[in-house]
Amino acid sequence: MRRFLPYLWPAGRPDLKRRIIGAALLVLLSKVVVLTLPFAYARAVDTMSADADPAVWVAMALVIAYAAGRFANVLFDQLRNIVFNRVGQDAVRELTEDVFARLHRLSLRFHLSRRTGEITRVIERGTKSIGSMLYFLLFNIAPTAIELIVVSVVFWTLFGWELVAATAVTVVSFIWITQRITEWRVKLRKDMNDLDGQAMARAVDSLLNYETVKYFGAEDRERNRYASSAAAYAEAAIKTENSLGLLNIMQASILNLMMGAAMAWTVWGWSQGRLTPGDLVLVNTYLMQLFRPLDLLGWVYRTIRQGLIDMADMFNLMDTAAEVEDTPGAPALVVRRPTVTFEDVSFGYEKDRRILHGLSFEAPAGATVALVGPSGAGKSTIGRLLFRFYDPWEGRICIDGQDIAQVTQASLRKAIGIVPQDSVLFNDTIGYNIAYGRDDPTPEQLRHAAEDASILPFIEALPQGFDTEVGERGLKLSGGEKQRVAIARTLLKDPPILLLDEATSALDSRTEQDILTTLGNISCDRTTIAIAHRLSTIADADVINVMEAGRIVESGSHAALLKRDGLYAEMWNRQLTEDETGEEEDAEAAE
């Protein structure tokens, strides 16, 4: 709660603070009306039961006052909600914005190890619980405590200590049994939430991998996998609902026992001539008003208790340490000559498995440097280190002589553009995905980037042009079209350093050549680091670094490496053989 209070009482927002004070005053006015009503009701009954001629107009006035008071209570409650709604919504909005921003600051390792469905569920439950907790704490628990104190004073003054003691015993017993059963229910509820999160995570994971499910005809397998989680959730939900029934029975037993005893005591006092029929009404009305919020106490307590758990889960998410953070006072990266240097860099994703072993190489400003090698050599890891998704264990990475660990991450990533192997697009329009490369680009800049990426004719041929939806992860576009959108997005960003991470490995030969031509055009006047599996795509690079087991074992131009007759030459000859075999098979299939 201490973590949330700054959002509820925000600094620099006097308008929200005034709303909170106004809502508190309306709560007090509502309680004044509620606590006055029983007296009007009781006096009306006494007036009507008087031995002499009853004062009709007095009784009538008291009844009208009672009805007006009930309306005033509703009016004050609704005005309170109207006044406070903006406070609650603003507090929840600011908190969710902070959570969202924090998630984007967390390291790549965190997002690779967590399921998106589980994270979204934690945030959803945490934010929803805040609204409920605010309402119950401010407008249920606090007013009920005030009412309990006032009722005790009234009972002590009018009826003596016996009724106060009975009320206190009832309230304490009610709270104790509610707390014990609800604690048990909280554990059941937590188990149910865990199973709910598991079921949601499996559903999201399955739907995100829709194509893979179809490729392997695994619809029934996925359904059974989800059904097992859903069945476990259903069993946990049944236990939770049954425990609620037990709680309601116990609460009703305590409250009705007290109500019956209090009214019987009042009737006995009437029989002794000490109390009036109006006193019976007074006691009954006060107890009903007091027990109404108490009757919800189990639900309120469970909601608050569960809300604390949900909020704790969300704050734990916010408290997750970011693996990579800017150093205090870090300056922005200033790139005059975009030279990239790896100096004796060692790194591994796990402490017991080193990927890079003292890696050193340089990509001079304006040059194209290629990184090739067998799978597992550590090529893609270099790209992740360059973007500073991870920090190296040893050594350093410099751009224009500046250690990237000592500059801000935002300025670093602004200086680097990437065309990845798998260009994942947002489920929005082509225009939105291209425009993602820069804040608020003009339509002319958008068209120019699309034209330079050789995708403008394709876009203009579409009925909706730039407003064409690309679908989830860009599935409505072909591989080549997605790559061109990714290239246009990077062109719009206009970075001095370009990283090509196997940008054509998933494309057919014709599309690959078209994309390579486009990439060759955009690499001009930029420092380009090309990570490639197919050696033909980087044969024109200024320097080719051949990696094996996290080390550079050969370095030079294409011709020089072939003359050396080492690992690069072996890989080149193997790919030539594979290409020739593939062409022969295609020719035979055509015949």
Side-chain angles (χ1 to χ4, degrees):
M1 290 304 299
R2 283 196 301 270
R3 291 285 299 274
F4 180 67
L5 284 178
Y7 295 96
L8 185 61
W9 189 264
R13 291 296 304 272
D15 57 322
L16 295 183
K17 293 178 180 179
R18 284 194 296 268
R19 285 178 174 271
I20 295 171
I21 294 171
L25 292 175
L26 287 168
V27 169
L28 293 176
L29 284 174
S30 175
K31 279 302 153 191
V32 168
V33 172
V34 166
L35 293 169
T36 306
L37 289 179
F39 282 100
Y41 195 9
R43 296 294 79 83
V45 171
D46 281 340
T47 302
M48 294 172 63
S49 62
D51 292 336
D53 292 336
V56 175
W57 294 110
V58 174
M60 190 77 71
L62 289 168
V63 170
I64 293 173
Y66 178 78
R70 289 179 61 88
F71 171 75
N73 180 43
V74 174
L75 177 64
F76 289 144
D77 282 349
Q78 297 309 311
L79 288 175
R80 173 205 68 199
N81 291 339
I82 292 171
V83 169
F84 189 78
N85 279 340
R86 180 169 296 278
V87 179
Q89 289 298 327
D90 275 18
V92 172
R93 176 185 56 78
E94 288 192 18
L95 177 59
T96 52
E97 286 178 5
D98 285 352
V99 175
F100 185 74
R102 180 64 182 175
L103 285 174
H104 276 292
R105 287 198 298 270
L106 292 179
S107 63
L108 180 63
R109 191 191 307 274
F110 170 85
H111 288 281
L112 292 177
S113 62
R114 293 291 295 266
R115 293 176 181 269
T116 304
E118 289 179 344
I119 294 176
T120 54
R121 206 66 166 179
V122 167
I123 297 173
E124 179 188 3
R125 284 199 300 259
T127 52
K128 282 185 176 180
S129 68
I130 290 171
S132 301
M133 289 179 62
L134 276 178
Y135 182 85
F136 288 133
L137 286 173
L138 298 177
F139 305 140
N140 185 285
I141 300 296
T144 300
I146 294 172
E147 188 168 352
L148 180 60
I149 294 171
V150 174
V151 169
S152 299
V153 172
V154 171
F155 281 0
W156 185 288
T157 303
L158 298 180
F159 307 111
W161 64 269
E162 296 91 349
L163 199 55
V164 177
T167 303
V169 169
T170 301
V171 171
V172 171
S173 301
F174 185 91
I175 292 175
W176 181 80
I177 196 70
T178 298
Q179 191 265 344
R180 293 300 296 270
I181 295 178
T182 304
E183 284 293 336
W184 168 53
R185 296 191 69 240
V186 164
K187 182 180 182 303
L188 296 178
R189 181 79 180 185
K190 189 174 188 308
D191 293 341
M192 186 180 76
N193 281 347
D194 290 342
L195 292 169
D196 182 30
Q198 182 187 79
M200 180 59 64
R202 288 184 176 180
V204 171
D205 195 31
S206 179
L207 293 174
L208 287 177
N209 292 281
Y210 169 84
E211 286 183 291
T212 305
V213 174
K214 289 294 185 183
Y215 291 152
F216 293 92
E219 292 92 337
D220 290 340
R221 191 189 318 163
E222 288 297 316
R223 178 180 178 178
N224 293 335
R225 187 165 173 258
Y226 176 75
S228 64
S229 296
Y233 168 76
E235 288 298 320
I238 290 170
K239 290 181 181 179
T240 303
E241 293 301 320
N242 290 344
S243 66
L244 177 61
L246 174 63
L247 176 62
N248 291 336
I249 291 172
M250 296 299 294
Q251 287 178 330
S253 300
I254 294 173
L255 294 184
N256 286 287
L257 181 63
M258 168 59 187
M259 182 70 76
M263 294 181 68
W265 181 85
T266 309
V267 171
W268 179 77
W270 169 78
S271 69
Q272 300 295 312
R274 292 184 295 103
L275 302 176
T276 66
D279 291 331
L280 176 66
V281 172
L282 185 69
V283 171
N284 176 265
T285 306
Y286 265 131
L287 289 178
M288 287 187 66
Q289 288 182 177
L290 181 62
F291 289 167
R292 190 177 298 116
L294 282 180
D295 198 34
L296 299 174
L297 184 63
W299 178 46
V300 171
Y301 179 80
R302 178 182 61 78
T303 301
I304 292 175
R305 186 77 172 80
Q306 183 60 43
L308 290 173
I309 291 174
D310 292 339
M311 285 179 67
D313 289 342
M314 187 171 64
F315 281 123
N316 286 338
L317 200 61
M318 290 183 70
D319 291 339
T320 302
E323 185 176 339
V324 177
E325 293 196 57
D326 290 341
T327 58
L333 176 68
V334 179
V335 182
R336 297 180 181 86
R337 289 184 55 77
T339 301
V340 179
T341 309
F342 277 64
E343 300 176 1
D344 199 25
V345 172
S346 295
F347 174 75
Y349 296 105
E350 304 297 336
K351 290 297 181 183
D352 56 350
R353 182 168 174 259
R354 188 181 293 256
I355 303 296
L356 301 180
H357 303 264
L359 183 73
S360 296
F361 73 90
E362 180 180 86
T368 297
V369 175
L371 297 168
V372 301
S375 298
K379 304 185 298 296
S380 294
T381 299
I382 290 174
R384 290 176 172 177
L385 290 174
L386 183 60
F387 269 95
R388 211 183 162 208
F389 291 151
Y390 304 92
D391 281 332
W393 294 353
E394 300 167 3
R396 65 176 193 157
I397 303 167
C398 295
I399 294 178
D400 197 5
Q402 302 160 72
D403 188 344
I404 65 172
Q406 303 302 318
V407 299
T408 60
Q409 296 176 64
S411 64
L412 167 68
R413 291 164 189 160
K414 185 178 180 180
I416 309 172
I418 183 171
V419 181
Q421 176 181 0
D422 181 19
S423 298
V424 178
L425 305 182
F426 290 95
N427 188 5
D428 210 299
T429 64
I430 292 179
Y432 174 85
N433 279 281
I434 295 176
Y436 205 76
R438 176 183 297 185
D439 291 335
D440 299 323
T442 65
E444 291 76 15
Q445 291 173 328
L446 208 63
R447 289 180 59 83
H448 187 65
E451 184 177 10
D452 287 349
S454 303
I455 196 175
L456 185 59
F458 166 75
I459 296 174
E460 290 180 334
L462 296 170
Q464 294 178 299
F466 282 95
D467 294 327
T468 303
E469 297 282 339
V470 302
E472 187 81 32
R473 299 170 66 86
L475 292 178
K476 291 183 180 180
L477 301 182
S478 69
E481 291 159 358
K482 286 168 61 178
Q483 288 297 76
R484 291 189 188 279
V485 170
I487 292 170
R489 183 163 59 188
T490 301
L491 281 171
L492 191 63
K493 185 179 181 181
D494 194 24
I497 300 169
L498 185 63
L499 176 65
L500 307 178
D501 189 0
E502 304 204 33
T504 63
S505 62
L507 305 177
D508 60 85
S509 298
R510 180 176 178 181
T511 305
E512 180 184 56
Q513 290 304 316
D514 292 340
I515 296 292
L516 284 174
T517 301
T518 304
L519 290 175
N521 294 333
I522 70 171
S523 297
C524 295
D525 302 323
R526 288 184 172 89
T527 301
T528 304
I529 298 176
I531 298 170
H533 174 71
R534 291 177 56 81
L535 304 185
S536 58
T537 63
I538 48 84
D540 295 333
D542 297 305
V543 179
I544 301 173
N545 293 315
V546 184
M547 296 184 63
E548 185 177 31
R551 297 179 175 87
I552 292 179
V553 295
E554 295 177 5
S555 184
S557 65
H558 172 70
L561 290 173
L562 288 180
K563 288 181 182 179
R564 188 176 297 178
D565 198 23
L567 177 60
Y568 181 83
E570 179 188 338
M571 294 170 59
W572 177 264
N573 293 328
R574 187 185 302 120
Q575 288 192 10
L576 283 179
T577 303
E578 290 173 356
D579 291 342
E580 290 172 359
T581 303
E583 290 175 0
E584 291 175 0
E585 290 176 352
D586 292 341
E588 291 175 2
E591 292 176 0

